[in-house]
Every structure is written in C-alpha cells, then in structure tokens.
mmCIF file of all heavy atoms in Angstrom:
data_model
loop_
_atom_site.group_PDB
_atom_site.id
_atom_site.type_symbol
_atom_site.label_atom_id
_atom_site.label_comp_id
_atom_site.label_asym_id
_atom_site.label_seq_id
_atom_site.Cartn_x
_atom_site.Cartn_y
_atom_site.Cartn_z
ATOM 1 N N ALA A 1 8.079 -45.600 60.344
ATOM 2 C CA ALA A 1 6.711 -45.319 59.912
ATOM 3 C C ALA A 1 5.755 -46.394 60.411
ATOM 4 O O ALA A 1 4.630 -46.100 60.837
ATOM 5 C CB ALA A 1 6.652 -45.203 58.391
ATOM 6 N N ASP A 2 6.186 -47.670 60.375
ATOM 7 C CA ASP A 2 5.357 -48.748 60.916
ATOM 8 C C ASP A 2 5.141 -48.568 62.419
ATOM 9 O O ASP A 2 4.040 -48.812 62.933
ATOM 10 C CB ASP A 2 6.016 -50.102 60.641
ATOM 11 C CG ASP A 2 5.975 -50.482 59.159
ATOM 12 O OD1 ASP A 2 5.101 -49.932 58.451
ATOM 13 O OD2 ASP A 2 6.814 -51.285 58.728
ATOM 14 N N ARG A 3 6.197 -48.144 63.104
ATOM 15 C CA ARG A 3 6.070 -47.937 64.545
ATOM 16 C C ARG A 3 5.076 -46.814 64.855
ATOM 17 O O ARG A 3 4.236 -46.945 65.754
ATOM 18 C CB ARG A 3 7.441 -47.602 65.127
ATOM 19 C CG ARG A 3 7.421 -47.405 66.637
ATOM 20 C CD ARG A 3 8.800 -47.004 67.149
ATOM 21 N NE ARG A 3 8.753 -46.744 68.575
ATOM 22 C CZ ARG A 3 9.746 -46.205 69.278
ATOM 23 N NH1 ARG A 3 10.886 -45.885 68.651
ATOM 24 N NH2 ARG A 3 9.614 -46.012 70.568
ATOM 25 N N CYS A 4 5.179 -45.726 64.090
ATOM 26 C CA CYS A 4 4.221 -44.633 64.275
ATOM 27 C C CYS A 4 2.801 -45.096 63.980
ATOM 28 O O CYS A 4 1.845 -44.707 64.659
ATOM 29 C CB CYS A 4 4.589 -43.442 63.388
ATOM 30 S SG CYS A 4 6.100 -42.581 63.873
ATOM 31 N N ARG A 5 2.647 -45.956 62.966
ATOM 32 C CA ARG A 5 1.317 -46.464 62.626
ATOM 33 C C ARG A 5 0.732 -47.261 63.793
ATOM 34 O O ARG A 5 -0.443 -47.113 64.142
ATOM 35 C CB ARG A 5 1.408 -47.334 61.382
ATOM 36 C CG ARG A 5 0.076 -47.960 60.961
ATOM 37 C CD ARG A 5 0.324 -49.138 60.046
ATOM 38 N NE ARG A 5 1.104 -50.159 60.766
ATOM 39 C CZ ARG A 5 1.700 -51.187 60.158
ATOM 40 N NH1 ARG A 5 1.653 -51.312 58.853
ATOM 41 N NH2 ARG A 5 2.365 -52.076 60.879
ATOM 42 N N ASP A 6 1.566 -48.105 64.410
ATOM 43 C CA ASP A 6 1.086 -48.902 65.535
ATOM 44 C C ASP A 6 0.699 -48.020 66.729
ATOM 45 O O ASP A 6 -0.320 -48.254 67.391
ATOM 46 C CB ASP A 6 2.155 -49.904 65.961
ATOM 47 C CG ASP A 6 2.451 -50.929 64.873
ATOM 48 O OD1 ASP A 6 1.562 -51.133 64.007
ATOM 49 O OD2 ASP A 6 3.563 -51.514 64.875
ATOM 50 N N ILE A 7 1.549 -47.009 66.992
ATOM 51 C CA ILE A 7 1.257 -46.111 68.119
ATOM 52 C C ILE A 7 -0.057 -45.373 67.876
ATOM 53 O O ILE A 7 -0.924 -45.284 68.756
ATOM 54 C CB ILE A 7 2.415 -45.126 68.329
ATOM 55 C CG1 ILE A 7 3.666 -45.873 68.801
ATOM 56 C CG2 ILE A 7 2.027 -44.042 69.342
ATOM 57 C CD1 ILE A 7 4.896 -44.991 68.897
ATOM 58 N N LEU A 8 -0.228 -44.855 66.666
ATOM 59 C CA LEU A 8 -1.445 -44.111 66.359
ATOM 60 C C LEU A 8 -2.676 -45.007 66.359
ATOM 61 O O LEU A 8 -3.771 -44.574 66.707
ATOM 62 C CB LEU A 8 -1.300 -43.414 65.005
ATOM 63 C CG LEU A 8 -0.338 -42.214 64.991
ATOM 64 C CD1 LEU A 8 -0.200 -41.666 63.575
ATOM 65 C CD2 LEU A 8 -0.845 -41.120 65.923
ATOM 66 N N ARG A 9 -2.486 -46.278 65.975
ATOM 67 C CA ARG A 9 -3.619 -47.195 66.002
ATOM 68 C C ARG A 9 -4.101 -47.404 67.434
ATOM 69 O O ARG A 9 -5.305 -47.388 67.714
ATOM 70 C CB ARG A 9 -3.234 -48.530 65.371
ATOM 71 C CG ARG A 9 -4.423 -49.517 65.326
ATOM 72 C CD ARG A 9 -4.067 -50.823 64.645
ATOM 73 N NE ARG A 9 -3.057 -51.541 65.409
ATOM 74 C CZ ARG A 9 -1.821 -51.775 64.971
ATOM 75 N NH1 ARG A 9 -1.445 -51.339 63.772
ATOM 76 N NH2 ARG A 9 -0.955 -52.434 65.713
ATOM 77 N N ASP A 10 -3.142 -47.580 68.364
ATOM 78 C CA ASP A 10 -3.520 -47.748 69.763
ATOM 79 C C ASP A 10 -4.147 -46.469 70.328
ATOM 80 O O ASP A 10 -5.143 -46.521 71.060
ATOM 81 C CB ASP A 10 -2.291 -48.124 70.592
ATOM 82 C CG ASP A 10 -1.735 -49.489 70.211
ATOM 83 O OD1 ASP A 10 -2.508 -50.293 69.647
ATOM 84 O OD2 ASP A 10 -0.536 -49.738 70.460
ATOM 85 N N MET A 11 -3.541 -45.320 69.964
ATOM 86 C CA MET A 11 -4.106 -44.053 70.436
ATOM 87 C C MET A 11 -5.488 -43.821 69.862
ATOM 88 O O MET A 11 -6.405 -43.362 70.545
ATOM 89 C CB MET A 11 -3.173 -42.891 70.060
ATOM 90 C CG MET A 11 -1.836 -42.906 70.789
ATOM 91 S SD MET A 11 -0.700 -41.640 70.158
ATOM 92 C CE MET A 11 -1.630 -40.167 70.501
ATOM 93 N N GLY A 12 -5.633 -44.133 68.600
ATOM 94 C CA GLY A 12 -6.933 -43.952 67.970
ATOM 95 C C GLY A 12 -7.991 -44.843 68.578
ATOM 96 O O GLY A 12 -9.134 -44.434 68.760
ATOM 97 N N ARG A 13 -7.601 -46.084 68.937
ATOM 98 C CA ARG A 13 -8.555 -46.991 69.553
ATOM 99 C C ARG A 13 -9.000 -46.460 70.913
ATOM 100 O O ARG A 13 -10.182 -46.456 71.244
ATOM 101 C CB ARG A 13 -7.938 -48.369 69.719
ATOM 102 C CG ARG A 13 -8.922 -49.409 70.257
ATOM 103 C CD ARG A 13 -8.262 -50.762 70.421
ATOM 104 N NE ARG A 13 -7.747 -51.271 69.161
ATOM 105 C CZ ARG A 13 -6.460 -51.451 68.887
ATOM 106 N NH1 ARG A 13 -5.549 -51.155 69.810
ATOM 107 N NH2 ARG A 13 -6.055 -51.912 67.722
ATOM 108 N N ALA A 14 -8.026 -45.971 71.709
ATOM 109 C CA ALA A 14 -8.374 -45.411 73.025
ATOM 110 C C ALA A 14 -9.188 -44.142 72.871
ATOM 111 O O ALA A 14 -10.139 -43.900 73.621
ATOM 112 C CB ALA A 14 -7.102 -45.130 73.827
ATOM 113 N N GLY A 15 -8.828 -43.315 71.902
ATOM 114 C CA GLY A 15 -9.564 -42.076 71.693
ATOM 115 C C GLY A 15 -10.985 -42.324 71.256
ATOM 116 O O GLY A 15 -11.919 -41.679 71.705
ATOM 117 N N LYS A 16 -11.169 -43.310 70.349
ATOM 118 C CA LYS A 16 -12.518 -43.605 69.899
ATOM 119 C C LYS A 16 -13.372 -44.163 71.028
ATOM 120 O O LYS A 16 -14.573 -43.951 71.074
ATOM 121 C CB LYS A 16 -12.470 -44.597 68.735
ATOM 122 C CG LYS A 16 -11.930 -43.981 67.451
ATOM 123 C CD LYS A 16 -11.830 -45.011 66.342
ATOM 124 C CE LYS A 16 -11.241 -44.385 65.062
ATOM 125 N NZ LYS A 16 -11.086 -45.386 63.997
ATOM 126 N N ASP A 17 -12.731 -44.898 71.945
ATOM 127 C CA ASP A 17 -13.491 -45.398 73.085
ATOM 128 C C ASP A 17 -14.103 -44.246 73.860
ATOM 129 O O ASP A 17 -15.243 -44.315 74.297
ATOM 130 C CB ASP A 17 -12.572 -46.207 74.014
ATOM 131 C CG ASP A 17 -12.203 -47.561 73.397
ATOM 132 O OD1 ASP A 17 -12.910 -47.964 72.451
ATOM 133 O OD2 ASP A 17 -11.220 -48.167 73.856
ATOM 134 N N ASP A 18 -13.332 -43.156 74.049
ATOM 135 C CA ASP A 18 -13.855 -42.013 74.785
ATOM 136 C C ASP A 18 -14.772 -41.160 73.934
ATOM 137 O O ASP A 18 -15.715 -40.561 74.430
ATOM 138 C CB ASP A 18 -12.697 -41.148 75.299
ATOM 139 C CG ASP A 18 -12.032 -41.758 76.512
ATOM 140 O OD1 ASP A 18 -12.722 -42.515 77.203
ATOM 141 O OD2 ASP A 18 -10.844 -41.507 76.728
ATOM 142 N N LEU A 19 -14.471 -41.058 72.633
ATOM 143 C CA LEU A 19 -15.221 -40.152 71.782
ATOM 144 C C LEU A 19 -16.572 -40.725 71.394
ATOM 145 O O LEU A 19 -17.578 -40.027 71.404
ATOM 146 C CB LEU A 19 -14.398 -39.836 70.517
ATOM 147 C CG LEU A 19 -15.043 -38.879 69.513
ATOM 148 C CD1 LEU A 19 -15.230 -37.511 70.157
ATOM 149 C CD2 LEU A 19 -14.200 -38.766 68.258
ATOM 150 N N HIS A 20 -16.604 -41.994 71.038
ATOM 151 C CA HIS A 20 -17.817 -42.563 70.474
ATOM 152 C C HIS A 20 -18.618 -43.386 71.476
ATOM 153 O O HIS A 20 -19.804 -43.599 71.268
ATOM 154 C CB HIS A 20 -17.459 -43.438 69.270
ATOM 155 C CG HIS A 20 -16.763 -42.681 68.182
ATOM 156 N ND1 HIS A 20 -17.363 -41.649 67.502
ATOM 157 C CD2 HIS A 20 -15.508 -42.794 67.666
ATOM 158 C CE1 HIS A 20 -16.517 -41.168 66.602
ATOM 159 N NE2 HIS A 20 -15.387 -41.841 66.686
ATOM 160 N N LEU A 21 -17.996 -43.853 72.550
ATOM 161 C CA LEU A 21 -18.727 -44.670 73.513
ATOM 162 C C LEU A 21 -19.426 -43.744 74.499
ATOM 163 O O LEU A 21 -19.043 -43.613 75.648
ATOM 164 C CB LEU A 21 -17.773 -45.612 74.246
ATOM 165 C CG LEU A 21 -18.428 -46.743 75.056
ATOM 166 C CD1 LEU A 21 -19.311 -47.611 74.190
ATOM 167 C CD2 LEU A 21 -17.374 -47.579 75.742
ATOM 168 N N ARG A 22 -20.459 -43.053 73.998
ATOM 169 C CA ARG A 22 -21.219 -42.151 74.850
ATOM 170 C C ARG A 22 -22.180 -42.916 75.739
ATOM 171 O O ARG A 22 -22.740 -42.349 76.674
ATOM 172 C CB ARG A 22 -22.026 -41.164 73.983
ATOM 173 C CG ARG A 22 -21.189 -40.308 73.063
ATOM 174 C CD ARG A 22 -20.235 -39.421 73.837
ATOM 175 N NE ARG A 22 -19.531 -38.504 72.965
ATOM 176 C CZ ARG A 22 -18.577 -37.682 73.351
ATOM 177 N NH1 ARG A 22 -18.176 -37.707 74.601
ATOM 178 N NH2 ARG A 22 -17.987 -36.883 72.498
ATOM 179 N N GLN A 23 -22.389 -44.170 75.459
ATOM 180 C CA GLN A 23 -23.244 -44.995 76.276
ATOM 181 C C GLN A 23 -22.558 -46.337 76.505
ATOM 182 O O GLN A 23 -21.674 -46.730 75.748
ATOM 183 C CB GLN A 23 -24.593 -45.210 75.590
ATOM 184 C CG GLN A 23 -24.474 -45.918 74.232
ATOM 185 C CD GLN A 23 -25.812 -46.179 73.608
ATOM 186 O OE1 GLN A 23 -26.832 -46.015 74.254
ATOM 187 N NE2 GLN A 23 -25.818 -46.593 72.356
ATOM 188 N N ALA A 24 -22.960 -47.020 77.544
ATOM 189 C CA ALA A 24 -22.373 -48.320 77.867
ATOM 190 C C ALA A 24 -23.319 -49.050 78.794
ATOM 191 O O ALA A 24 -24.140 -48.425 79.491
ATOM 192 C CB ALA A 24 -20.994 -48.154 78.509
ATOM 193 N N PRO A 25 -23.237 -50.375 78.835
ATOM 194 C CA PRO A 25 -24.045 -51.117 79.808
ATOM 195 C C PRO A 25 -23.725 -50.674 81.231
ATOM 196 O O PRO A 25 -22.612 -50.244 81.541
ATOM 197 C CB PRO A 25 -23.635 -52.577 79.562
ATOM 198 C CG PRO A 25 -23.134 -52.595 78.161
ATOM 199 C CD PRO A 25 -22.486 -51.271 77.934
ATOM 200 N N LEU A 26 -24.705 -50.796 82.093
ATOM 201 C CA LEU A 26 -24.571 -50.321 83.466
ATOM 202 C C LEU A 26 -23.359 -50.917 84.163
ATOM 203 O O LEU A 26 -22.561 -50.201 84.773
ATOM 204 C CB LEU A 26 -25.851 -50.651 84.245
ATOM 205 C CG LEU A 26 -25.837 -50.329 85.740
ATOM 206 C CD1 LEU A 26 -25.655 -48.833 85.962
ATOM 207 C CD2 LEU A 26 -27.116 -50.828 86.395
ATOM 208 N N MET A 27 -23.179 -52.230 84.070
ATOM 209 C CA MET A 27 -22.075 -52.878 84.769
ATOM 210 C C MET A 27 -20.727 -52.461 84.186
ATOM 211 O O MET A 27 -19.725 -52.401 84.898
ATOM 212 C CB MET A 27 -22.219 -54.401 84.714
ATOM 213 C CG MET A 27 -23.507 -54.916 85.363
ATOM 214 S SD MET A 27 -23.713 -54.362 87.084
ATOM 215 C CE MET A 27 -22.315 -55.161 87.879
ATOM 216 N N ALA A 28 -20.688 -52.138 82.874
ATOM 217 C CA ALA A 28 -19.441 -51.666 82.273
ATOM 218 C C ALA A 28 -19.065 -50.293 82.818
ATOM 219 O O ALA A 28 -17.884 -50.014 83.078
ATOM 220 C CB ALA A 28 -19.576 -51.622 80.752
ATOM 221 N N VAL A 29 -20.046 -49.419 82.999
ATOM 222 C CA VAL A 29 -19.773 -48.101 83.564
ATOM 223 C C VAL A 29 -19.287 -48.235 85.008
ATOM 224 O O VAL A 29 -18.358 -47.545 85.440
ATOM 225 C CB VAL A 29 -21.027 -47.215 83.482
ATOM 226 C CG1 VAL A 29 -20.803 -45.885 84.196
ATOM 227 C CG2 VAL A 29 -21.406 -46.948 82.033
ATOM 228 N N ILE A 30 -19.898 -49.152 85.761
ATOM 229 C CA ILE A 30 -19.470 -49.359 87.141
ATOM 230 C C ILE A 30 -18.034 -49.877 87.179
ATOM 231 O O ILE A 30 -17.215 -49.418 87.985
ATOM 232 C CB ILE A 30 -20.428 -50.341 87.838
ATOM 233 C CG1 ILE A 30 -21.835 -49.742 87.924
ATOM 234 C CG2 ILE A 30 -19.912 -50.702 89.225
ATOM 235 C CD1 ILE A 30 -22.872 -50.706 88.447
ATOM 236 N N SER A 31 -17.714 -50.828 86.297
ATOM 237 C CA SER A 31 -16.350 -51.364 86.258
ATOM 238 C C SER A 31 -15.350 -50.283 85.879
ATOM 239 O O SER A 31 -14.238 -50.226 86.417
ATOM 240 C CB SER A 31 -16.273 -52.526 85.263
ATOM 241 O OG SER A 31 -17.141 -53.578 85.651
ATOM 242 N N GLU A 32 -15.732 -49.416 84.952
ATOM 243 C CA GLU A 32 -14.836 -48.320 84.561
ATOM 244 C C GLU A 32 -14.587 -47.371 85.727
ATOM 245 O O GLU A 32 -13.455 -46.924 85.943
ATOM 246 C CB GLU A 32 -15.448 -47.554 83.393
ATOM 247 C CG GLU A 32 -14.609 -46.375 82.933
ATOM 248 C CD GLU A 32 -15.269 -45.587 81.814
ATOM 249 O OE1 GLU A 32 -16.331 -46.020 81.320
ATOM 250 O OE2 GLU A 32 -14.722 -44.531 81.438
ATOM 251 N N ALA A 33 -15.650 -47.072 86.491
ATOM 252 C CA ALA A 33 -15.482 -46.182 87.635
ATOM 253 C C ALA A 33 -14.588 -46.803 88.709
ATOM 254 O O ALA A 33 -13.807 -46.107 89.366
ATOM 255 C CB ALA A 33 -16.853 -45.837 88.222
ATOM 256 N N ALA A 34 -14.684 -48.120 88.885
ATOM 257 C CA ALA A 34 -13.922 -48.788 89.942
ATOM 258 C C ALA A 34 -12.523 -49.188 89.513
ATOM 259 O O ALA A 34 -11.702 -49.567 90.366
ATOM 260 C CB ALA A 34 -14.676 -50.031 90.403
ATOM 261 N N GLU A 35 -12.201 -49.110 88.220
ATOM 262 C CA GLU A 35 -10.934 -49.629 87.712
ATOM 263 C C GLU A 35 -9.695 -49.062 88.412
ATOM 264 O O GLU A 35 -8.769 -49.809 88.738
ATOM 265 C CB GLU A 35 -10.859 -49.391 86.200
ATOM 266 C CG GLU A 35 -9.762 -50.173 85.489
ATOM 267 C CD GLU A 35 -8.409 -49.476 85.573
ATOM 268 O OE1 GLU A 35 -8.414 -48.231 85.682
ATOM 269 O OE2 GLU A 35 -7.384 -50.179 85.535
ATOM 270 N N PRO A 36 -9.604 -47.735 88.715
ATOM 271 C CA PRO A 36 -8.392 -47.236 89.385
ATOM 272 C C PRO A 36 -8.157 -47.844 90.768
ATOM 273 O O PRO A 36 -7.045 -47.775 91.284
ATOM 274 C CB PRO A 36 -8.641 -45.723 89.475
ATOM 275 C CG PRO A 36 -9.632 -45.431 88.405
ATOM 276 C CD PRO A 36 -10.507 -46.641 88.336
ATOM 277 N N HIS A 37 -9.188 -48.438 91.379
ATOM 278 C CA HIS A 37 -9.060 -48.968 92.731
ATOM 279 C C HIS A 37 -9.160 -50.494 92.767
ATOM 280 O O HIS A 37 -9.312 -51.077 93.843
ATOM 281 C CB HIS A 37 -10.153 -48.369 93.630
ATOM 282 C CG HIS A 37 -10.232 -46.882 93.564
ATOM 283 N ND1 HIS A 37 -9.256 -46.065 94.079
ATOM 284 C CD2 HIS A 37 -11.152 -46.056 93.004
ATOM 285 C CE1 HIS A 37 -9.579 -44.795 93.866
ATOM 286 N NE2 HIS A 37 -10.725 -44.768 93.212
ATOM 287 N N SER A 38 -9.075 -51.141 91.607
ATOM 288 C CA SER A 38 -9.237 -52.590 91.544
ATOM 289 C C SER A 38 -7.960 -53.344 91.913
ATOM 290 O O SER A 38 -7.999 -54.562 92.064
ATOM 291 C CB SER A 38 -9.697 -53.001 90.141
ATOM 292 O OG SER A 38 -8.752 -52.590 89.165
ATOM 293 N N HIS A 39 -6.842 -52.660 92.028
ATOM 294 C CA HIS A 39 -5.569 -53.321 92.330
ATOM 295 C C HIS A 39 -4.953 -52.754 93.611
ATOM 296 O O HIS A 39 -3.734 -52.597 93.709
ATOM 297 C CB HIS A 39 -4.586 -53.162 91.168
ATOM 298 C CG HIS A 39 -5.115 -53.653 89.860
ATOM 299 N ND1 HIS A 39 -5.299 -54.980 89.584
ATOM 300 C CD2 HIS A 39 -5.527 -52.974 88.748
ATOM 301 C CE1 HIS A 39 -5.779 -55.122 88.350
ATOM 302 N NE2 HIS A 39 -5.940 -53.915 87.838
ATOM 303 N N ARG A 40 -5.762 -52.474 94.579
ATOM 304 C CA ARG A 40 -5.291 -51.882 95.833
ATOM 305 C C ARG A 40 -5.363 -52.870 96.988
ATOM 306 O O ARG A 40 -5.404 -52.466 98.151
ATOM 307 C CB ARG A 40 -6.091 -50.628 96.160
ATOM 308 C CG ARG A 40 -5.887 -49.482 95.175
ATOM 309 C CD ARG A 40 -6.722 -48.278 95.544
ATOM 310 N NE ARG A 40 -6.474 -47.900 96.929
ATOM 311 C CZ ARG A 40 -7.253 -47.050 97.603
ATOM 312 N NH1 ARG A 40 -8.312 -46.507 97.016
ATOM 313 N NH2 ARG A 40 -6.983 -46.754 98.855
ATOM 314 N N GLY A 41 -5.399 -54.137 96.685
ATOM 315 C CA GLY A 41 -5.370 -55.150 97.731
ATOM 316 C C GLY A 41 -6.723 -55.524 98.280
ATOM 317 O O GLY A 41 -6.806 -56.357 99.197
ATOM 318 N N LYS A 42 -7.811 -54.944 97.775
ATOM 319 C CA LYS A 42 -9.160 -55.284 98.208
ATOM 320 C C LYS A 42 -9.903 -55.925 97.030
ATOM 321 O O LYS A 42 -9.718 -55.528 95.874
ATOM 322 C CB LYS A 42 -9.918 -54.033 98.688
ATOM 323 C CG LYS A 42 -9.153 -53.176 99.679
ATOM 324 C CD LYS A 42 -8.912 -53.885 100.991
ATOM 325 C CE LYS A 42 -8.022 -53.046 101.915
ATOM 326 N NZ LYS A 42 -8.606 -51.782 102.308
ATOM 327 N N HIS A 43 -10.752 -56.888 97.325
ATOM 328 C CA HIS A 43 -11.498 -57.610 96.293
ATOM 329 C C HIS A 43 -12.836 -56.909 96.076
ATOM 330 O O HIS A 43 -13.653 -56.816 96.999
ATOM 331 C CB HIS A 43 -11.712 -59.067 96.706
ATOM 332 C CG HIS A 43 -12.224 -59.924 95.590
ATOM 333 N ND1 HIS A 43 -12.590 -61.241 95.753
ATOM 334 C CD2 HIS A 43 -12.429 -59.635 94.283
ATOM 335 C CE1 HIS A 43 -13.010 -61.723 94.596
ATOM 336 N NE2 HIS A 43 -12.914 -60.759 93.693
ATOM 337 N N ILE A 44 -13.058 -56.423 94.862
ATOM 338 C CA ILE A 44 -14.311 -55.755 94.523
ATOM 339 C C ILE A 44 -15.211 -56.757 93.803
ATOM 340 O O ILE A 44 -14.855 -57.273 92.738
ATOM 341 C CB ILE A 44 -14.067 -54.514 93.642
ATOM 342 C CG1 ILE A 44 -13.120 -53.541 94.355
ATOM 343 C CG2 ILE A 44 -15.381 -53.820 93.315
ATOM 344 C CD1 ILE A 44 -12.791 -52.294 93.540
#
C-alpha cells in the first residue's frame, strides 16, 4: 500500500503538471519543447 501511494504521488504530480500548468514562463515552455533533444550530443 505504501508503494502504491508513492507511485500514485509521482503520477499525480506529473498529471497535475499537465492538467493545471496551462501557462508557464516563456523560457520554461522553450525548455520543455527542447527537452527531448537536449541529450543528443549537441549543446543547446
């Protein structure tokens, strides 16, 4: 039960980020867009 609580807490935190963060600072949105390509050997 404790393990399920921890898993749901992490899922809930990630879900709330998508559900409630309808706005964000400009540079944060840019970083989010670039995140999948930030570890491809090129410096952004």
Side-chain angles (χ1 to χ4, degrees):
D2 289 338
R3 182 183 177 189
C4 291
R5 178 199 61 194
D6 296 337
I7 293 174
L8 288 176
R9 182 177 65 246
D10 294 338
M11 293 173 61
R13 185 181 300 114
K16 289 177 182 178
D17 287 343
D18 283 335
L19 181 64
H20 300 297
L21 193 57
R22 301 298 186 185
Q23 61 177 349
L26 175 62
M27 300 305 296
V29 174
I30 296 173
S31 299
E32 179 183 354
E35 194 277 332
H37 309 291
S38 59
H39 304 289
R40 294 179 53 194
K42 311 294 174 63
H43 191 185
I44 303 178

